[in-house]
Amino acid sequence: MRIVCIGGGPAGLYFALLMKKLNPAHHITVVERNKPYDTFGWGVVFSDATMENMRRWDAATCDEIEQSFSHWDDIELRFKGRRIRSGGHGFVGIGRKKLLNILQARCEALGVELQFEAEVDSDLAYPDADLIIAADGINSRIRSTYAEVFQPDIVTRPNRFIWLGTHKLFDAFTFDFQRTEHGWFQAHIYKFDANTTTFIVECPEEVWRAHGLDSADQDASVQFCEQLFAESLEGERLMTNARHLRGSAWLNFQRVVCNQWWLRNANGSHVVLMGDAVHTAHFAIGSGTKLALEDAIELVRQFQLQGDTPAHIPDVLARFQELRRVETLRIQNAAWNAMEWFEVCGTRYCDQLEPEQFMYSMLTRSQRISHENLRLRDKGWLEGYEQWLAARALTAAGGVDDSSAPTPPMFTPYRVRSVTLNNRVVVSPMAQYSAVDGIAGDYHLVHLGARAMGGAGMVFAEMTCPSPEARITPGCPGLWNDEQMHAWQRIVQWVHEHSDARIAMQLGHSGAKGSTRRAWDGEDLPLPDDGPEPNWPLVSASAQQYLPGVSQHAREITRAEMDVVCEEFVAATRRAAAAGFDWMELHCAHGYLLSSFISPLTNQRADEYGGSLDNRLRYPLEVFAAMRAVWPGHLPMSVRISAHDWVAGGITPADAVEIARAFKAAGADLIDCSSGQVSKRQRPTYGRMFQTPFADRIRQEAGIATIAVGAISEADHVNSIIAAGRADLCAVARPHLANPAWTLTEAARIGYTALAWPKPYRSAKAQLEAGFAREKAQQAPPPAGGFPAGPTASRGQP
Ligand SMILES: Cc1cc2nc3c(=O)[nH]c(=O)nc-3n(C[C@H](O)[C@H](O)[C@H](O)COP(=O)(O)OP(=O)(O)OC[C@H]3O[C@@H](n4cnc5c(N)ncnc54)[C@H](O)[C@@H]3O)c2cc1C
Ligand SMILES: Cc1cc2nc3c(=O)[nH]c(=O)nc-3n(C[C@H](O)[C@H](O)[C@H](O)COP(=O)(O)O)c2cc1C
């Protein structure tokens, strides 16, 4: 085959050499616009795993790289005058120039033709080529030429960065954060050869402009960075090698994703994009070169598997695209989280978190590295952090830190007003539709009682209604009469007597989503016309029909009715206090009555309760304030909100911060951060812990404690959420339906034995713990010389 690689970066060169090695009969040319030893950039990093992959494909290249690379294990944070270091992260750094030189020499040795200082204007310049590799980098001309086919999606990110070098040597991958009068800057620093270090400086666009860096030339920019990071540089200079760039040396990262990766051009040659031309990954995760090299490996592997003749090319390219698209999207997602963390850290984390917690948050920024993964990397550091966190939690809860053993963050106490929860897990409110006339009966006693004994710090009662019309279904419990209050009192007393758990009430009004069947008879469907239970009329902030063409029509609630509903909430709150509940939550989420006021999708009112967010919040805040006035001052109140409507024009996470601020000002102690269920047009992005970013943002930006909820299903999730300060409590719902003793089980699973079990259950504790310990021992890595299992396999940038 005749193959032309446009671009002599890592992708083009590595593909050329592997393909030539696969079959020396191929005629392969690499065309590069730069001189052989002339390139931009300083060092690049990849993980140990990338090196292993490369070794399998060409040991000679790998040996050369290994002779030239810098290997290090530690990450060091320099922040607010502190230096914090953790180990076990396993990186390899190499100069970009050195890497390219190794690849160039290997290409030459294998017989690849290299043409330097040759600018390619078009793929059509090679009419004889069977295959053209467009490895022409992030600004790929070939991708632009065929943009209609490749359909690139290019997102330009808000931060500015400059890629510099220095001869100051650092013995760890170092992150240095510096505050200026206009905001925070951070430097990503890593040594890549015996005397040179990469020094990337990054900050938000507005901070960059405020310092006048938009009009600074390269020398002025370098000087600015030298002064800012003088303490780390200890007198060494910073250097730039981006003189080839026109205009500012400060760049914005561009995330590239392409829908189609290959085509057949007018000459009949196949053209395939590779490396940065087809996808980019932010340097916060350091994987761009790795992706480029792995593209090359996969394409050669497909030729090896399917055959390396021109006739095989279409099938090879189709399979290449299929496999690499998925893998690169996975890495891009992780890189996206890490990149966003660095974009918002100046406003969200730097001023809010103490250095210890900031370090933890930074290490887990991509959400690929969990709590237990950090333990595998550096047990000593993690246990030290656990102790630090536990001591602070104990002090905040009014206790004394007398334990020498580290406590997992999940099992640290949490105090708010006069209430102390034993740990950070709460059983999330879950409607059971099993009440009769709004009375919580034996079913609720057994259901909530079992979960209270299951180890969670607190159990939430399901959404309970202040009037019969406020119910979702005829099976929902209420608090509109004293008989209902006494029924709840029995349950509360049982929980207090037989468990260490606290118990919370959640009050809500269903609004336009009321008068429906029990979930198992058809969720959200109106009651059947011929059934024993008649439908009742619905009210909402504005007239609406929740399920178009299906639900009953709700009419706009009048001002007078709003007063009545508010009084009903107040009366129910008094009854909840009389029943002995420890905690009150107001349900302002999921499209129910109060939520329908907050979301612009469901509130079109023309009075002072519609329009701006302030207006839309007015009624929910009125209800909250009226409840707070009668709810005992020593007991906490939380508010559940939908922090994202997942519909264009609906509530966004930025709005959620404002909503949280308003409830905080009204006296709320925590915001319970759910999302969605406001409109059937919602398009949520599900995934593990998918709503936790809302809890995190609200906690840091509105300065109020939060409850994270949604797809939190392992102790590891709870530990990393609490440890990183993304929330104060974790609400766990469905896992508690499957296993009432979820918290006891998870404690045993992670080997935490200090959690007290209900006395009558104690004989089961040791047995469960022993079972998990045995399971763990069986999964343990093989003895020295073997390959580590699980998370250690993915060492490298967190
Ligand atoms: C600040 C920063 C830090 C980074 N850090 C890391 C890191 O730590 N680890 C990591 O893995 N990656 C890192 N990267 C990303 C990495 O540099 C790229 O992902 C990688 O170089 C992609 O390789 P490539 O071969 O696809 O493209 P490139 O390396 O960009 O190579 C493309 C080549 O094509 C040539 N070319 C372009 N157009 C033409 C034309 N028309 N004619 C002839 N030649 C042409 C260019 O001169 C260039 O040599 C970083 C990037 C930046 C900006
Ligand atoms: C059966 C069931 C009933 C629910 N009822 C309520 C409720 O009464 N009030 C409420 O705020 N959320 C309710 N939810 C939502 C949960 O509290 C929780 O936010 C959601 O299930 C996501 O958590 P998970 O992934 O741990 O299940 C309910 C969820 C389920 C599964």
Side-chain angles (χ1 to χ4, degrees), residues 95 117 632:
E117 298 180 76

Side-chain angles (χ1 to χ4, degrees), residues 7-11 31-34 40 44-45 96 118-120 135-137 141 161 163 190 200 274-276 283 286-290 292:
V31 190
E32 166 58 48
R33 61 154 73 112
N34 288 334
F40 66 90
V44 292
V45 294
R96 180 177 155 92
E119 177 85 29
V120 179
D136 51 345
R141 184 176 295 167
F161 70 92
W163 204 358
Y190 49 93
I200 306 169
M274 193 183 274
D276 272 13
F283 55 85
S287 290
T289 307
K290 161 197 153 82

Side-chain angles (χ1 to χ4, degrees), residues 428-433 461-464 472 506 519 585 587 589-590 592 640 672 674 677 690-691 709-713 731-735 737:
S428 201
M430 279 182 287
Q432 298 296 300
Y433 315 112
E462 67 200 85
M463 179 173 123
T464 300
I472 308 167
Q506 186 191 52
E585 177 161 288
H587 200 329
H590 302 168
Y592 296 128
R640 179 167 271 209
D672 187 350
S674 186
Q677 299 175 55
F690 74 108
Q691 294 171 153
V709 64
I712 298 170
S713 56
V732 176
R734 287 163 299 173
L737 292 183

Side-chain angles (χ1 to χ4, degrees), residues 219-512:
D219 292 331
S221 295
V222 167
Q223 217 180 6
F224 174 87
C225 294
E226 279 174 350
Q227 279 168 7
L228 189 57
F229 294 100
E231 203 179 321
S232 277
L233 288 167
E234 293 179 320
E236 283 290 349
R237 307 298 309 266
L238 287 172
M239 307 173 282
T240 170
N241 65 2
R243 304 268 174 219
H244 63 289
L245 290 177
R246 285 181 297 273
S248 173
W250 293 83
L251 305 172
N252 291 88
F253 172 72
Q254 291 191 312
R255 197 285 326 262
V256 177
V257 171
C258 290
N259 197 31
Q260 173 69 23
W261 289 33
W262 61 280
L263 53 76
R264 198 157 187 194
N265 70 13
N267 291 335
S269 311
H270 284 92
V271 180
V272 61
L273 298 174
M274 193 183 274
D276 272 13
V278 67
H279 49 61
T280 54
H282 190 259
F283 55 85
I285 199 163
S287 290
T289 307
K290 161 197 153 82
L291 287 180
L293 297 173
E294 289 176 355
D295 281 354
I297 290 175
E298 186 56 43
L299 189 53
V300 173
R301 195 173 79 89
Q302 288 306 323
F303 276 118
Q304 189 186 43
L305 284 173
Q306 302 196 40
D308 57 340
T309 72
H312 290 103
I313 294 177
D315 288 343
V316 163
L317 295 186
R319 185 78 178 131
F320 167 71
Q321 169 177 328
E322 188 186 340
L323 292 175
R324 290 301 292 162
R325 250 179 71 97
V326 175
E327 175 61 11
T328 51
L329 278 177
R330 198 181 63 77
I331 305 247
Q332 283 180 318
N333 283 345
W336 187 271
N337 294 336
M339 171 192 76
E340 274 194 330
W341 191 94
F342 282 112
E343 286 170 1
V344 301
C345 65
T347 48
R348 202 174 292 171
Y349 305 115
C350 287
D351 294 316
Q352 291 80 348
L353 303 182
E354 294 183 65
E356 285 80 357
Q357 192 159 46
F358 186 82
M359 172 78 164
Y360 187 100
S361 177
M362 186 183 78
L363 290 178
T364 53
R365 64 186 178 270
S366 73
Q367 283 165 46
R368 285 195 314 171
I369 307 296
S370 71
H371 196 71
E372 290 313 311
N373 196 292
L374 284 177
R375 196 185 307 282
L376 287 172
R377 289 171 182 232
D378 189 343
K379 189 165 185 275
W381 174 78
L382 188 77
E383 289 188 356
Y385 179 63
E386 284 183 336
Q387 254 157 356
W388 178 87
L389 195 73
R392 300 185 76 74
L394 264 172
T395 311
V400 184
D401 179 22
D402 56 358
S403 70
S404 52
T407 307
M410 170 171 169
F411 295 103
T412 55
Y414 181 69
R415 184 185 171 96
V416 51
R417 298 199 187 223
S418 67
V419 172
T420 302
L421 308 187
N422 277 348
N423 60 60
R424 304 305 183 106
V425 180
V426 301
V427 177
S428 201
M430 279 182 287
Q432 298 296 300
Y433 315 112
S434 302
V436 178
D437 296 331
I439 298 168
D442 286 350
Y443 175 87
H444 299 84
L445 178 72
V446 173
H447 171 72
L448 292 169
R451 278 143 194 91
M453 292 213 294
M458 184 164 75
V459 290
F460 265 98
E462 67 200 85
M463 179 173 123
T464 300
C465 308
S467 69
E469 300 74 34
R471 290 174 300 170
I472 308 167
T473 75
C476 290
L479 262 177
W480 63 83
N481 62 40
D482 286 347
E483 191 181 358
Q484 293 160 346
M485 186 277 281
H486 288 302
W488 280 119
Q489 196 172 42
R490 178 172 78 123
I491 295 167
V492 170
Q493 281 173 357
W494 195 96
V495 167
H496 285 164
E497 196 175 326
H498 296 282
S499 82
D500 294 332
R502 308 283 91 204
I503 178 163
M505 165 50 59
Q506 186 191 52
L507 283 181
H509 186 304
S510 57

